[in-house]
Amino acid sequence: MYKQPGKIALITGGNRGIGLRIVKKLVECEIEVILGVRNPVDSRKAVEAYLEHAKIPVSSCKLHYEQLDIGNMKSVREFATKIRAKFDKIHLLINNAGVMSVPFKLTDEGFESHMAINYYGHFLLTHLLLPQLRAAGTAECKARVVNVSSCVHKIGEIDYNDINKVKNYYPADAYNQSKLAQVLFAKYTNLMFEEEGMPVLSYSLHPGVVNTDLFEHSSTNYIPWVRALLFKNPEEGSRTVVYAAIAPKLETRGGCYLSNCREAGSHRYWNNSVQCEKLFKFTCDTLGIDDFFYKGK
């Protein structure tokens, strides 16, 4: 934790759970924060109440709240258009919002909800904000994209024949697939940033098994005392995310996967450039992206 005035971070979610604690840490570093949230009015109330309880003067914080439904690609595009109009630079993009083990549902655009919210929306947002990330990064201090994944990505599989799990839906499989996609996305984009000479780094991480309402659809909801006893609390869960976003020692470690603020082992496909590229191209085709690394604004 160190002061970084002048930097701008964008986080999806951020109004509850570990996101709320991430925002607190960022403002303590004097970083300006943009929150992409479903309900900006309610989110502002929640964040300000939390910061005041933590004895952080809200008047000293630079916070912005913009409406975003990360699982809706139309909303993502509208959100990105607003951000590009207001901000020339984004130093940190923290892809944090997510769902876990929710009942089967296809979005209006026909995407399974875990993939839409956890992966597709963040993939598209990263693409649309690349000009701001490139403008913020320097050779000495590159911009960063941080994907909040999960350790369960290690048992995930990308089912290209039934990516939306229409034929056989099991919530855990859908969640694991989306988390694996986030990790492979971070690895591949970092390789391409290097190849293209872009001053941007990508990371993925496991924040820990954290006691938040992410577990509301899991079996642990029936025995909440187990979560309180065995899981990390949200503050602890926020630490690896912030570490990935600001730690100077990671400046030369782009593409790595982190757990407990350390580099950790990942899925067998993590170091397989063919598999990473396959998913990347599949996703571009799915979302209608012709040139992910475009140089325009």
Side-chain angles (χ1 to χ4, degrees):
M1 299 286 286
Y2 60 99
K3 305 299 182 186
Q4 299 174 75
K7 280 195 173 183
I8 300 173
L10 190 154
I11 180 171
T12 60
N15 58 314
R16 60 181 184 172
I18 67 171
L20 193 57
R21 280 71 180 179
I22 294 167
V23 171
K24 174 179 177 287
K25 287 179 169 61
L26 294 175
V27 299
E28 287 178 321
C29 293
E30 298 182 4
I31 296 173
E32 188 171 355
V33 183
I34 307 160
L35 291 86
V37 290
R38 283 178 177 269
N39 190 317
V41 174
D42 288 348
S43 295
R44 179 188 294 272
K45 292 177 182 177
V47 172
E48 291 185 352
Y50 176 72
L51 294 177
E52 288 172 358
H53 179 74
K55 299 185 171 18
I56 298 176
V58 175
S59 59
S60 69
C61 304
K62 294 181 179 179
L63 295 167
H64 310 271
Y65 304 84
E66 295 288 349
Q67 201 282 326
L68 170 64
D69 178 355
I70 193 65
N72 182 299
M73 303 308 118
K74 181 174 182 290
S75 176
V76 172
R77 293 182 184 279
E78 291 172 349
F79 172 78
T81 298
K82 289 179 184 177
I83 298 303
R84 291 199 302 261
K86 294 180 180 181
F87 299 92
D88 293 328
K89 296 181 179 181
I90 301 291
H91 299 82
L92 309 171
L93 172 58
I94 302 176
N95 293 324
N96 165 72
V99 294
M100 182 179 77
S101 298
V102 295
F104 178 75
K105 181 181 178 181
L106 294 178
T107 67
D108 292 342
E109 294 150 312
F111 304 136
E112 189 276 320
S113 55
H114 287 94
M115 286 294 281
I117 296 168
N118 297 346
Y119 176 58
Y120 287 144
H122 290 122
F123 186 104
L124 179 60
L125 183 62
T126 303
H127 161 65
L128 294 173
L129 294 183
L130 267 184
Q132 278 63 33
L133 291 163
R134 279 199 304 267
T138 65
E140 298 75 26
C141 187
K142 296 177 181 177
R144 298 188 184 189
V145 179
V146 177
N147 288 344
V148 182
S149 183
S150 167
C151 63
V152 298
H153 85 274
K154 297 177 185 179
I155 57 173
E157 299 291 341
I158 306 297
D159 186 353
Y160 292 102
N161 295 319
D162 186 22
I163 201 78
N164 291 312
K165 305 294 184 183
V166 174
K167 297 176 183 176
N168 185 22
Y169 182 75
Y170 182 59
D173 287 344
Y175 178 71
N176 300 348
Q177 173 180 253
S178 69
K179 291 291 145 176
L180 172 58
Q182 289 181 304
V183 171
L184 300 185
F185 171 47
K187 179 66 173 180
Y188 184 77
T189 50
N190 195 79
L191 289 171
M192 294 304 297
F193 291 150
E194 290 181 0
E195 188 174 304
E196 297 283 335
M198 294 183 183
V200 185
L201 300 167
S202 288
Y203 305 92
S204 58
L205 62 93
H206 171 51
V209 182
V210 186
N211 188 12
T212 69
D213 55 10
L214 192 66
F215 284 88
E216 64 180 323
H217 294 288
S218 76
S219 59
T220 64
N221 208 39
Y222 300 105
I223 43 174
W225 61 269
V226 171
R227 298 202 325 232
L229 180 66
L230 300 178
F231 292 7
K232 286 184 177 182
N233 63 46
E235 191 282 324
E236 292 168 330
S238 70
R239 294 175 187 173
T240 302
V241 184
V242 176
Y243 179 78
I246 69 172
K249 69 184 298 182
L250 292 180
E251 191 67 26
T252 60
R253 303 301 302 161
C256 68
Y257 169 76
L258 300 163
S259 179
N260 286 319
C261 297
R262 294 179 178 87
E263 292 187 47
S266 186
H267 192 279
R268 66 187 186 280
Y269 284 169
W270 176 83
N271 216 23
N272 186 322
S273 59
V274 173
Q275 291 297 331
C276 290
E277 183 178 19
K278 179 180 180 179
L279 175 65
F280 180 83
K281 289 183 175 179
F282 176 89
T283 309
C284 285
D285 290 344
T286 299
L287 297 178
I289 298 173
D290 294 325
D291 183 8
F292 185 93
F293 300 99
Y294 71 115
K295 299 294 195 298
K297 287 191 174 183

Coordinates of all heavy atoms in Angstrom, one line a residue, residues 116 127 234 262:
A116 N -21.5 -15.0 -19.5 CA -21.8 -13.6 -19.8 C -21.3 -12.6 -18.8 O -20.6 -11.6 -19.1 CB -23.3 -13.4 -20.0
H127 N -11.4 -4.9 -24.2 CA -11.2 -4.6 -25.6 C -11.6 -3.1 -25.8 O -10.8 -2.3 -26.4 CB -12.1 -5.5 -26.5 CG -12.4 -4.9 -27.8 ND1 -11.4 -4.8 -28.8 CD2 -13.5 -4.6 -28.4 CE1 -11.9 -4.3 -29.9 NE2 -13.2 -4.2 -29.7
P234 N -14.1 -10.7 3.7 CA -13.9 -9.9 2.5 C -12.7 -9.0 2.5 O -12.1 -8.9 1.4 CB -15.2 -9.0 2.5 CG -16.2 -9.9 3.2 CD -15.4 -10.6 4.3
R262 N 1.0 -14.5 -4.1 CA 2.1 -15.2 -4.6 C 1.7 -15.8 -5.9 O 0.6 -16.1 -6.1 CB 2.6 -16.3 -3.7 CG 3.2 -15.8 -2.3 CD 3.6 -17.0 -1.5 NE 4.2 -16.5 -0.2 CZ 3.5 -16.3 0.9 NH1 2.1 -16.4 0.9 NH2 4.1 -15.9 2.0

